[in-house]
């Protein structure tokens, strides 16, 4: 069974659309994350979510909003998509707090046309 | 400012040789971790070294940490074609709230 799974794997959409990426972990972890990896492979944290506490990277536009229906899920909703949003988005989870080993999903490659 | 700058950015060696990658960081840390990313896949944790440790081994991997120089190195011995991947170091930001900060990675190519 996949520990951290995210869907879809590929997402192609037009500018201005709203889209969501789903993430689920079956590891019983209490902290989940969203990262963005750009075309140069630079990985930047967007959000961390722990026991209903959301910590947002202040550089993330408010068009991005994480939603966590329960501890095992952290979905990413993006409004009014822009060309610059094209990237690979990774979900991750950890049981060791924000300094622990992180387990990553396989990524969602988002292409905004 | 960016934590975790790896060098070199790319490294190509022959199978069987050793590969060494370096990482520098800027702020105080609790631990430093190394991750591997195969093409088109997510990151996989390799090894974690705490700030009070100087060296750690795991199979063919050896990690060193020099907190006075704010640097770490990852050595992969007896490289294999399957080691071809990008390698990232990651540090905690110290305050705990921001999770891990990753560098840009070293792309390692093992020539058969």
């Amino acid at each position: 069974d996949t520990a951290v799974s995210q869907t879809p794997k590929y997402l192609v959409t037009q500018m201005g659309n709203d889209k969501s990426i789903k993430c689920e972990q079956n590891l019983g972890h209490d902290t989940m994350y969203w990262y963005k990896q750009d075309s140069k492979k630079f990985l930047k944290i967007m959000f961390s979510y722990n026991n209903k506490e959301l910590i947002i990277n202040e550089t993330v536009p408010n068009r991005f909003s994480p939603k966590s229906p329960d501890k095992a899920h952290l979905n990413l909703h993006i409004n009014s998509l822009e060309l610059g949003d094209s990237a690979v988005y990774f979900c991750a989870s950890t049981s060791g707090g924000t300094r622990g080993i992180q387990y990553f999903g396989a990524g969602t490659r988002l292409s905004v046309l | 400012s960016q934590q975790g700058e790896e060098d070199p950015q790319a490294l190509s060696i022959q199978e069987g040789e050793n590969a060494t990658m370096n990482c520098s960081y800027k702020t105080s840390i609790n631990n430093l971790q190394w991750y591997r990313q195969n093409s088109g896949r997510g990151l996989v944790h390799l090894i974690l070294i705490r700030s009070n440790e100087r060296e750690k081994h795991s199979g063919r991997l050896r990690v060193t940490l020099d907190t006075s120089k704010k640097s770490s190195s990852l050595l992969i011995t007896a490289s294999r074609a399957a080691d071809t991947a990008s390698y990232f170091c990651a540090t905690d930001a110290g305050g705990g709230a921001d999770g891990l900060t990753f560098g840009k990675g070293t792309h390692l190519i093992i020539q058969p």
Side-chain angles (χ1 to χ4, degrees):
Chain A
D1 288 341
T2 303
V4 181
S5 59
Q6 49 183 112
T7 55
K9 189 169 176 64
Y10 301 97
L11 184 54
V12 181
T13 188
Q14 300 287 331
M15 279 177 55
N17 285 349
D18 302 338
K19 290 294 179 185
S20 292
I21 306 172
K22 294 185 177 181
C23 178
E24 176 182 5
Q25 53 95 3
N26 62 6
L27 298 168
H29 288 168
D30 54 14
T31 305
M32 296 183 72
Y33 306 87
W34 277 105
Y35 289 88
K36 177 181 180 180
Q37 187 174 44
D38 63 22
S39 59
K40 296 183 179 179
K41 289 202 166 183
F42 182 52
L43 202 68
K44 186 175 182 180
I45 191 165
M46 301 177 70
F47 305 100
S48 66
Y49 197 86
N50 180 317
N51 291 329
K52 301 183 181 179
E53 181 187 10
L54 176 65
I55 300 172
I56 301 172
N57 185 320
E58 62 186 12
T59 66
V60 174
N62 58 15
R63 297 181 295 103
F64 291 79
S65 57
K67 299 188 190 304
S68 181
D70 55 57
K71 202 172 78 165
H73 296 82
L74 183 64
N75 304 322
L76 182 64
H77 190 75
I78 315 169
N79 289 329
S80 303
L81 278 156
E82 300 178 356
L83 293 177
D85 297 333
S86 295
V88 182
Y89 292 84
F90 288 98
C91 176
S93 71
T94 184
S95 64
T98 54
R99 298 166 184 159
I101 295 169
Q102 297 191 9
Y103 295 80
F104 282 78
T108 295
R109 182 173 293 277
L110 172 65
S111 298
V112 182
L113 307 178
Chain B
S1 61
Q2 180 179 304
Q3 284 277 61
E5 298 266 2
E6 291 93 340
D7 86 272
Q9 290 188 340
L11 178 62
S12 180
I13 61 174
Q14 294 295 122
E15 194 167 19
E17 294 180 341
N18 295 342
T20 300
M21 289 158 271
N22 302 298
C23 168
S24 60
Y25 57 92
K26 296 176 181 175
T27 63
S28 63
I29 60 171
N30 288 285
N31 67 60
L32 184 143
Q33 302 179 37
W34 285 90
Y35 287 77
R36 183 187 72 229
Q37 183 180 31
N38 290 90
S39 180
R41 308 293 293 274
L43 279 76
V44 174
H45 178 263
L46 294 175
I47 196 164
L48 179 153
I49 186 165
R50 302 190 191 285
S51 59
N52 62 353
E53 297 175 312
R54 292 296 166 259
E55 188 170 311
K56 203 161 183 180
H57 298 254
S58 176
R60 293 184 297 113
L61 305 180
R62 183 176 82 106
V63 168
T64 63
L65 179 64
D66 187 334
T67 53
S68 66
K69 295 181 180 178
K70 291 187 168 58
S71 67
S72 173
S73 67
L74 171 67
L75 168 67
I76 304 174
T77 60
S79 63
R80 305 168 182 169
D83 295 329
T84 294
S86 292
Y87 292 81
F88 296 85
C89 70
T91 58
D92 68 307
D98 296 330
L100 296 176
T101 302
F102 288 82
K104 293 184 179 179
T106 292
H107 186 53
L108 176 64
I109 298 172
I110 308 299
Q111 307 277 5

